[in-house]
Amino acid sequence: MNARNLNPHRMFYEMAAAHRPKYRFDGGKPADFKRWHAEALPAVMACLGDYPESVPPRPELVVEWQDRGLRMQRWMLDVQPHLSAVLRVNIPGDLRPGEKRPAILCWHG
């Protein structure tokens, strides 16, 4: 007999483990990827819907602090009508005025 589960975390883990996405990539060669991409991309794009209306970002620096050699900033931006988003910028503490370095963008959630 299967043990009963009372743990929602385990439930979601098991649901994820059992899920087989329709457009998963199971190939290994560049030609496999090209075929998969040609089939999957239109279907994925179709399910995303329309982009929201563009709005001016109205950037607002909310707070700035120093930590572990970084200057950290929290910003708020408008991303579409009636919705803002918060983002964080970490700047190397030794960055000189006018100096440019590569940036790393991370999307979470």
Side-chain angles (χ1 to χ4, degrees), residues 31-85:
D32 298 332
F33 177 80
K34 201 170 192 173
R35 279 190 298 279
W36 169 82
H37 186 263
E39 180 183 348
L41 182 62
V44 170
M45 295 303 290
C47 77
L48 294 179
D50 296 328
Y51 283 100
E53 177 186 334
S54 293
V55 297
R58 296 187 320 135
E60 177 186 342
L61 179 60
V62 177
V63 66
E64 183 174 42
W65 68 99
Q66 301 280 331
D67 187 25
R68 293 173 285 174
L70 295 172
R71 189 172 87 222
M72 299 180 164
Q73 301 176 333
R74 184 167 295 129
W75 288 84
M76 189 176 310
L77 302 173
D78 293 345
V79 294
Q80 69 180 58
H82 317 291
L83 184 64
S84 299

